[in-house]
Amino acid sequence: MASKIWHVLELLEWTTSYFQKHNIPNPRLDAEVLLGHLLKKSRLQLYLHFDMPVFQEDLTILRELIKKRIARTPISYLTNHKEFMSLNFYVDENVLIPRPETEFIVETVLKSNDNKPENILEIGTGSGAIAISLAVNMPECGIIATDICKKALTVAKKNRDLHECADRIELIQGNLFEPIKQVKPKKFNWIVSNPPYISIDESKELSKDIYDHEPHIALIAGDDGLSVIRRLILEAPNFLLPKGKLIFEIGAKQAEPVKAMLDEQPIYIHSQFINDYAGIERVVVANVD
């Protein structure tokens, strides 16, 4: 690339072709996102500047980004950016990349809120996408967000500061509910979570983009994928106010075993399963008495 003056259109076409040869999904889109990130231009702006030259300094960086994408590093980690609930979030390999289906958790909580102050606990916050989206849209609420990983909480703090909601979100390190025993409030209107729910066997079928780069602690949950969900269901009632709700994401084949687990706990008086965009039961809402 350094032997000539390259222009935006040429680079897009070359990168797209190179990605195609290496079986990268969405080769054109990935080429546009990487070049746009490098040049600090939107995809639309790239099309408006097809003839703009790209010089050696940027070409060197682009070459490294392309190599990493060929090695199946996810685009979001290369750009340190992911959109969630129409908000921009910093992400790196210490946190799971937020998925569109997880937005159903936030949307469900927002629809259920009557503009009254509520206490919310998030278990396993990762990038902070759920907690921050709730704080931005429900400024009257107080939120505690936990994560077992210190590096993940560093990312969450970065995003919390970015969205100027440090006064509404307290970040605490610890495993599931353990750190909540030391803080106030200890009871919440909502407990929200996108827990790990992939089984060990299922993890072997994950794409290289996911398995080789996203944190396994945020993905894999034992032999059946339910080890963390099981603890959420068992322990959440101890931290919920009367009429409180537990809401969490599940895997594509986990609706039936999760229903059975909820039925075994009489404190849950009602449960609802919400379908994702593919029609899969993806989000569970369980109400306590």
Side-chain angles (χ1 to χ4, degrees), residues 70-91:
I70 294 301
R72 293 307 180 104
T73 303
I75 283 288
S76 293
Y77 291 153
L78 295 177
T79 63
N80 295 123
H81 167 81
K82 183 64 177 179
E83 184 176 294
F84 182 84
M85 290 295 296
S86 300
L87 300 172
N88 294 321
F89 288 91
Y90 172 90
V91 293

Side-chain angles (χ1 to χ4, degrees), residues 19-195:
F19 282 163
Q20 287 172 333
K21 291 177 183 177
H22 287 82
N23 299 314
I24 297 297
N26 307 308
R28 181 70 175 198
L29 175 61
D30 284 8
E32 292 171 352
V33 170
L34 285 182
L35 189 57
H37 167 71
L38 179 64
L39 301 178
K40 295 181 172 55
K41 293 187 180 295
S42 68
R43 290 169 61 205
L44 175 59
Q45 288 173 325
L46 287 180
Y47 279 90
L48 295 175
H49 296 85
F50 265 164
D51 295 329
M52 186 179 77
V54 181
F55 299 106
Q56 181 58 46
E57 181 179 355
D58 288 328
L59 290 173
T60 300
I61 298 172
L62 180 63
R63 185 183 299 111
E64 293 305 309
L65 291 173
I66 291 171
K67 287 180 181 178
K68 291 179 180 179
R69 185 65 188 115
I70 294 301
R72 293 307 180 104
T73 303
I75 283 288
S76 293
Y77 291 153
L78 295 177
T79 63
N80 295 123
H81 167 81
K82 183 64 177 179
E83 184 176 294
F84 182 84
M85 290 295 296
S86 300
L87 300 172
N88 294 321
F89 288 91
Y90 172 90
V91 293
D92 61 27
E93 293 192 1
N94 293 303
V95 298
L96 197 70
I97 298 170
R99 267 66 169 183
E101 54 266 28
T102 306
E103 294 183 354
F104 282 99
I105 292 178
V106 178
E107 291 169 351
T108 300
V109 176
L110 295 180
K111 289 176 184 176
S112 300
N113 182 257
D114 297 322
N115 295 316
K116 62 180 184 294
E118 290 187 331
N119 292 321
I120 300 172
L121 169 64
E122 183 186 9
I123 299 294
T125 193
S127 66
I130 293 176
I132 291 164
S133 297
L134 290 171
V136 169
N137 287 281
M138 299 168 62
E140 71 281 359
C141 294
I143 300 172
I144 293 177
T146 73
D147 203 287
I148 194 172
C149 177
K150 184 177 181 179
K151 291 181 178 179
L153 287 176
T154 299
V155 174
K157 183 180 184 300
K158 185 182 186 79
N159 284 316
R160 184 185 65 175
D161 294 344
L162 174 68
H163 291 287
E164 299 180 343
C165 50
D167 59 330
R168 282 164 281 148
I169 300 176
E170 182 179 0
L171 298 172
I172 305 177
Q173 185 180 2
N175 186 19
L176 296 176
F177 294 97
E178 286 302 315
I180 304 306
K181 298 173 182 177
Q182 313 301 323
V183 302
K184 293 183 180 181
K186 288 185 172 63
K187 298 280 188 175
F188 302 87
N189 303 98
W190 285 93
I191 295 176
V192 304
S193 184
N194 178 20

